[in-house]
Amino acid sequence: ERVAAVFLEICFVIRQFCEVSSGTLVSRELVDVSRSEKQSQTTDVKIAMKVFESLCLAAPLSHGPGISVFRRAFQSLIRLWVAYSGDEVSTKTAVLTSEGLSLASASFDSIRTVVWTRKQHVSPIVSGMMATILTEFLLPPNQSAISAKARYRLLSVFISELLLPFSSSPLSTGSELPNILGIMNYVDETFPSAVADMIEREDHQAIVMCAAFRMYLVKDVKRLKKEEARMKKKTTTEVVVGYRPQEKSNPHIRSLVPGLKVSTSKLEQNAQMLCMKTEVLAYVLPRLLLNPSLGPLRFYAHRVCKTMSFRGIMEEIGLSVLKALVWELGNDDANEDSGDEMYDEQRESGTSVSRDNVRLALARAYVLNEGGEFEKEVGQLLAIDGSADDVPCELAGRWVAPNFMFLLVNIILHQWKRRSSRDKFQVIKTLRVMLHYLPPGDLLKYTPQIMTAINSSLSACTSASGEDLKLRYMTVVTLFDFVKIVASEDASQISVDLTQIVVALFPLFNDEVYGHNDLARKKGVNMLEWLVEGDLAECFRDIPFLPSTTDLQRIRSSLKAKGLQLDGESPADEAQLEARINVLSDLMTTHENKNVRKVVLSHLSELIHANRGIFQKMVANEESSSMNFLTVVHNSSFVPAGETAGAITRLISRLLGRCVDETDDKDVRDALATCLGEIGAIDPNRLDKDISSLHFGSDLPGSDDGGHFILSNPPWKTNVTEFEFHVLTRHLVNALRSAPSTLDQHKISFSIQELLRMIDSQIDGLIKADGAPMSSAFRERLIQADAITTVEPFWNTSYMQVDIDEKSPPFLPRSTSYYQWISSFCRFLISRSHSNNKNAWGAFFHACRSAIRSLSGIVMAEFLLPLFVLDLLCFGNKSDEEIIVEELVRVLSFDTQGDQNHDGMRLEEREKAVLVVFGLMSILRQWSDNETEALHRMSLSKGAKKRMATSSYSSSWSHTLCLKKIDLLLSKLPLPTCAEAASSVGMRARALQFLEMEGRRLSNLRRIDNSTNPSASNLPDKFIASNVLEGIDLQLTQTLLGQLNDFDSMLVVSQESCHEVDHCKRLAETALEKELYEDWEGACQAYEQLLDKRLNKGMESYTKYRAQAGLLRCLLKLGRLESVLNQSYGMTRQAQPLQSPPDSANEHTLEEVSTEFL
């Protein structure tokens, strides 16, 4: 109001001293034509233009009054331009054709200067005042002085030259069509907000003129398309650029749409159609409902749309309206938020709506949405006379409560990472208000989604001040409100999730980041004190620890007084330490807040450091008793199904898994390194092939036995329901919690929904209709798996997915990341399995098709990949088998430099793909080996045939066919290629393993050939070949051994690389070298090989003599006196005269050795 009063004074001064007519700078409703004005002087009017231009350039746009000054000054410049343009408007420059420094030209230059000088700040302001701008052009005060056609051209030039980001000038393109289309698109984009302002002002004439302007643009587009079509048919090339043919017009007819005969009723009908479009209604209706007055809503219903059914409209856009209104609940409200410590009056803009008005708008929308039940209330809202009362605000909760899940996903969790700090703050405030619309019992089942929002918000706060301080404080307040609401009905209900709630506050007590006076930290302390002093103190037994800070001392004392001491005393024995390690490792694995994981890792390191003696005993005891300690397997093929890994094994697996996953935060990686350092170095000899990517699925609680599940449950021996239940409770539940975006949550939710219905029908044996309750048996299993609270909301959801054609192979060359490759590959395998429809497991795979497209569903894709591949091998055609082999070989194929093979995937991403292929091979090979061994054992026992006939195999899978297909696939994946792939991505030990496997395979083939033709082989060479691997890449072997610092093996390989090696000489040199280094055991073994009868045939006698003496020396050094006597006796009986004396005067003879022994 103060700005308006100032501009009244400015306009008065300009009219007095700049000779601007009184009707130029006022709206059309206030034009005073009673006074006679003298002729304006050009120079004086230009002074007025400079006044408004300077106001626009100098107005501060950081607060409301400055924006108001800019709006009024910019509006005045537009009025001057329109007023002095007249009908003679050029289509190229939008100024008077008389050229010169005309008034229209000067005013347009001022507008252009303002827009271009402050473009970054001006664009959103101009977009917000489009209703005013359209009104100034389409309904200027001096309408009689300028025709509709001229006004439309002025508006077109204003939009194309100043508002469009990339305008297509007719001079540069040779056509006006792209420019006109750009103007039309801009008008369509801004029309909803503009028409909403016009409806609130109840300006029906302006709405009609907007429709007329759009009809003018449509007519222009049609005309230009006809002109272009006509020009293409002409053979002449002399075309005038930007030529517009003169239209025949009657000066006495001034149509609102030049060139079209449109009646007023027809124009109003067109305006009505524009205002009833879905995208317009979705924006306009919330604005009208939020207006405290019912006048605009009634004006819209009766004057603009005339006749409309709100019930039908709300069925189409009801959820969009609900989302828009609930979002407004998070705005600052002086009436409700002024007592809040974080309330800032400057944040509250002049256009924000009070929270009471938002509740009233929700109640109005609910009444319109329900229709028949509230026929009386609908009549009150839309009463023409305006005398009826409004609806009660209490009805708002009846619309919010049943759509709470929709609001959580689409407002609270939607694109969280892309939001600004201000929007995040409003999101959390919206969540805080939404909590009060649900009863405590119903609110509890949304705990996972609410805690996801809380943890995401706390994780986003990286600074101790500014916007992060406000967001962090509001997040803690929202969490406190949630706890109090749930506990208000029954305090025991919150005890189930108390650990997750309390642990979320731990990062606040980091003294290095937040001080004791931090508002969020104080509120967190208040929340913990409220929990301890209430009825929930006993539930703190499940809390793993409390941060060691002074402001929590009072809480510790209260707990101690009630007989609880969380972490003040050291563990008394291994059982207590193991229990605390298990709790901490679960938190470190599953919690989505990286700051919480960091705090837990730090505490875990401190716990191990303070109890190192007990921890070492745990390691020793577990190694001696566990069947699967770390990666050392003690006949693990026959471990009972219920056997799980020990605490140390799980801890190591989870820490290694987090090392793979924690790639974004350096502090968390440092905490992981510290914890691994506290545990101590692991003997590299313990690392074996049995540790694979399945052990590293750190997103899963207890994921270390996820590999045990799939290894011990081949598909031909397992019911599909067991796999479906495992995927649902272990993979999808955790994928939903860790989903990085709303889209990922939708993908996971769809798979949860499909699997819930599928498993329930398999357990119950019935296909239930929508809305039917879940079977009691299935519900009980979900409760036992601790997954009921997460998955139950999706029992009644109605997610749908539109399936599109999957990408065709190959996938690796077109993939830039590991996620893109495995997602595309698995989707293809699922689509092929679904299309052939030969396996009953195909429906299970098809239900997972959306989850594997999510970033959080990668672990599930890795888990199911062996099943996908085996399904297509057994039930697909020959081409499917070839595609799988080619894709896997392509992943393992590297060039000589070790880089990617003509694809855009980085080496770090390629390493993950190679690791997954190795894991696939390992699982398939173990399935085959275990089944083959089991069949062999059954065939050797009594009653084997009867037991084999009654064995429980899955009806969908043939174990014979599966074993055949597995062996065929593994045979088509060359081991040398696997070795090169492992070497290229840094898996050197695994590369040596593949080389050894290839060498032994070739050795077996040669042994089979030699057994059929014994005379073809030389006996000494055959003996040596049993100890030396041949046919492998010795250069790669040497490179790998060098990288592993195994120089002794490098020497042996270098000797083997010579084709004409003297095996006797090599063994003799090896024996002497080991004697030099006092490796008496190694030297003894070398001499024994040298004296073997199969090798020393034809050996020179003095060489044999030296070998015998060397063997006796080694036995003496090792203290094996009885062996010395036996060997001496045998040697003397077989002794032969020397043909030449030994070549060394210091050579020991047998007699000298015997003398030394005596």
Side-chain angles (χ1 to χ4, degrees), residues 362-590:
L362 283 167
R364 292 172 177 175
Y366 174 70
V367 168
L368 295 176
N369 184 63
E370 295 300 318
E373 182 183 351
F374 297 94
E375 185 175 353
K376 179 181 177 182
E377 286 78 2
V378 173
Q380 292 176 0
L381 289 177
L382 305 178
I384 299 177
D385 56 7
S387 59
D389 297 331
D390 216 323
V391 296
C393 294
E394 290 74 14
L395 295 175
R398 296 175 64 176
W399 200 24
V400 173
N403 296 287
F404 195 82
M405 188 66 178
F406 169 82
L407 297 172
L408 273 176
V409 172
N410 290 278
I411 295 181
I412 308 304
L413 303 175
H414 180 64
Q415 294 184 346
W416 172 265
K417 293 183 179 180
R418 299 182 182 179
R419 293 185 185 272
S420 63
S421 297
R422 185 183 181 91
D423 284 347
K424 289 178 180 178
F425 184 80
Q426 184 168 348
V427 164
I428 296 300
K429 290 193 71 175
T430 302
L431 175 61
R432 184 186 180 189
V433 178
M434 284 172 53
L435 295 176
H436 296 273
Y437 283 110
L438 277 182
D442 293 341
L443 189 60
L444 188 65
K445 64 183 180 182
Y446 298 106
T447 300
Q449 289 77 24
I450 294 173
M451 290 307 302
T452 296
I454 295 296
N455 287 310
S456 299
S457 180
L458 292 175
S459 180
C461 301
T462 57
S463 173
S465 59
E467 293 291 333
D468 284 351
L469 170 61
K470 299 175 182 178
L471 176 59
R472 188 169 59 254
Y473 174 80
M474 186 54 59
T475 304
V476 178
V477 170
T478 302
L479 180 60
F480 198 0
D481 285 356
F482 170 71
V483 172
K484 287 189 288 188
I485 292 172
V486 175
S488 61
E489 185 175 287
D490 185 3
S492 62
Q493 291 184 345
I494 200 65
S495 61
V496 178
D497 301 295
L498 187 62
T499 299
Q500 186 181 7
I501 292 170
V502 173
V503 168
L505 301 175
F506 284 179
L508 299 176
F509 301 99
N510 186 349
D511 293 334
E512 297 179 359
V513 181
Y514 312 116
H516 288 238
N517 294 324
D518 183 85
L519 293 177
R521 180 166 176 167
K522 286 183 176 179
K523 183 61 70 173
V525 173
N526 293 338
M527 174 179 163
L528 293 176
E529 290 176 348
W530 183 87
L531 290 170
V532 172
E533 293 171 0
D535 299 331
L536 296 170
E538 189 64 25
C539 301
F540 271 75
R541 292 185 183 276
D542 297 328
I543 307 299
F545 68 97
L546 283 178
S548 302
T549 57
T550 56
D551 46 358
L552 295 180
Q553 188 59 41
R554 181 180 173 183
I555 298 173
R556 293 176 182 275
S557 301
S558 299
L559 290 173
K560 188 175 182 180
K562 297 183 179 183
L564 296 176
Q565 192 162 355
L566 299 184
D567 51 0
E569 298 180 357
S570 299
D573 53 20
E574 298 173 32
Q576 293 183 7
L577 180 60
E578 179 179 350
R580 290 174 64 174
I581 288 177
N582 287 336
V583 174
L584 293 173
S585 64
D586 285 341
L587 282 174
M588 174 264 297
T589 303
T590 61

Side-chain angles (χ1 to χ4, degrees), residues 1002-1030:
L1002 296 175
S1003 177
N1004 288 335
L1005 292 177
R1006 286 192 298 271
R1007 185 175 292 109
I1008 294 173
D1009 293 341
N1010 292 338
S1011 63
T1012 58
N1013 188 12
S1015 61
S1017 60
N1018 186 19
L1019 186 60
D1021 291 340
K1022 180 180 177 181
F1023 166 68
I1024 294 295
S1026 64
N1027 295 279
V1028 179
L1029 298 178
E1030 296 182 1

Side-chain angles (χ1 to χ4, degrees), residues 137-391:
F137 279 104
L138 301 177
L139 295 170
N142 55 343
Q143 297 180 51
S144 58
I146 181 170
S147 66
K149 181 178 179 180
R151 283 178 270 157
Y152 296 159
R153 288 192 182 178
L154 284 173
L155 180 56
S156 300
V157 170
F158 176 80
I159 295 174
S160 64
E161 295 295 327
L162 302 179
L163 301 184
L164 293 183
F166 302 104
S167 59
S168 301
S169 173
L171 294 176
S172 60
T173 62
S175 173
E176 290 185 77
L177 184 58
N179 201 34
I180 299 298
L181 290 175
I183 296 171
M184 186 183 298
N185 291 334
Y186 184 84
V187 171
D188 290 341
E189 291 174 3
T190 57
F191 182 77
S193 60
V195 79
D197 291 338
M198 295 174 184
I199 293 172
E200 289 181 340
R201 297 201 304 256
E202 300 186 14
D203 192 349
H204 186 253
Q205 188 179 1
I207 297 173
V208 172
M209 289 303 298
C210 286
F213 175 63
R214 195 180 184 284
M215 292 177 67
Y216 167 78
L217 294 176
V218 172
K219 176 222 170 216
D220 237 11
V221 170
K222 292 180 179 178
R223 178 184 58 80
L224 291 171
K225 287 183 177 179
K226 289 181 180 179
E227 287 183 8
E228 287 191 353
R230 185 170 61 253
M231 290 296 183
K232 290 180 180 179
K233 293 180 180 179
K234 291 185 176 182
T235 56
T236 178
T237 58
E238 296 180 2
V239 180
V240 179
V241 177
Y243 169 73
R244 181 193 293 267
Q246 296 296 324
E247 298 177 356
K248 296 180 180 180
S249 60
N250 188 340
H252 301 289
I253 300 177
R254 302 181 67 85
S255 172
L256 290 179
V257 184
L260 292 178
K261 295 181 180 180
V262 181
S263 63
T264 303
S265 60
K266 188 72 174 178
L267 200 56
E268 289 183 356
Q269 289 179 7
N270 191 273
Q272 178 183 353
M273 292 173 58
L274 288 176
C275 292
M276 293 186 67
K277 285 185 174 181
T278 302
E279 59 271 17
V280 177
L281 276 169
Y283 182 88
V284 170
L285 193 55
R287 284 274 302 270
L288 301 182
L289 293 170
L290 287 168
N291 197 306
S293 171
L294 288 172
L297 180 63
R298 292 164 177 168
F299 171 79
Y300 178 70
H302 299 294
R303 184 71 177 91
V304 178
C305 298
K306 301 188 183 300
T307 57
M308 64 182 301
S309 171
F310 275 101
R311 179 67 185 279
I313 292 172
M314 292 298 288
E315 287 180 357
E316 186 175 359
I317 64 169
L319 291 178
S320 299
V321 173
L322 174 64
K323 179 181 174 182
L325 294 178
V326 171
W327 172 255
E328 297 295 331
L329 289 171
N331 280 325
D332 289 333
D333 188 343
N335 296 327
E336 298 186 11
D337 299 337
S338 57
D340 200 322
E341 295 181 71
M342 283 290 105
Y343 175 69
D344 186 358
E345 293 182 356
Q346 296 182 356
R347 292 181 64 95
E348 187 180 0
S349 62
T351 59
S352 62
V353 185
S354 69
R355 204 160 291 140
D356 284 338
N357 286 341
V358 179
R359 297 187 183 100
L360 180 60
L362 283 167
R364 292 172 177 175
Y366 174 70
V367 168
L368 295 176
N369 184 63
E370 295 300 318
E373 182 183 351
F374 297 94
E375 185 175 353
K376 179 181 177 182
E377 286 78 2
V378 173
Q380 292 176 0
L381 289 177
L382 305 178
I384 299 177
D385 56 7
S387 59
D389 297 331
D390 216 323
V391 296

Side-chain angles (χ1 to χ4, degrees), residues 811-812 815 817-829 852-854 857-865 868 887 905 912-913 916-917:
F811 303 105
L812 186 69
S815 302
S817 66
Y818 164 68
Y819 157 72
Q820 189 177 357
W821 171 76
I822 194 171
S823 176
S824 301
F825 187 37
C826 289
R827 285 163 60 189
F828 169 78
L829 296 176
I852 61 173
R853 295 167 49 221
S854 165
I858 289 181
V859 177
M860 189 188 73
E862 295 173 350
F863 177 80
L864 293 176
L865 182 60
F868 295 157
E887 190 67 28
M905 191 182 295
K912 299 176 183 178
V916 163
V917 174

Side-chain angles (χ1 to χ4, degrees), residues 891-903 905-908 910-911 914 980-986 1036:
V891 172
L892 298 175
S893 299
F894 285 74
D895 60 17
T896 55
Q897 282 75 31
D899 297 328
Q900 300 91 307
N901 190 17
H902 306 295
D903 58 64
M905 191 182 295
R906 294 184 296 111
L907 187 61
E908 294 82 359
R910 186 71 175 276
E911 180 180 355
V914 171
E980 292 175 1
S983 174
S984 299
V985 297
L1036 176 60

Side-chain angles (χ1 to χ4, degrees), residues 1027-1045:
N1027 295 279
V1028 179
L1029 298 178
E1030 296 182 1
I1032 62 176
D1033 189 342
L1034 296 179
Q1035 182 178 0
L1036 176 60
T1037 304
Q1038 276 198 305
T1039 302
L1040 294 170
L1041 291 171
Q1043 292 170 339
L1044 295 173
N1045 297 327

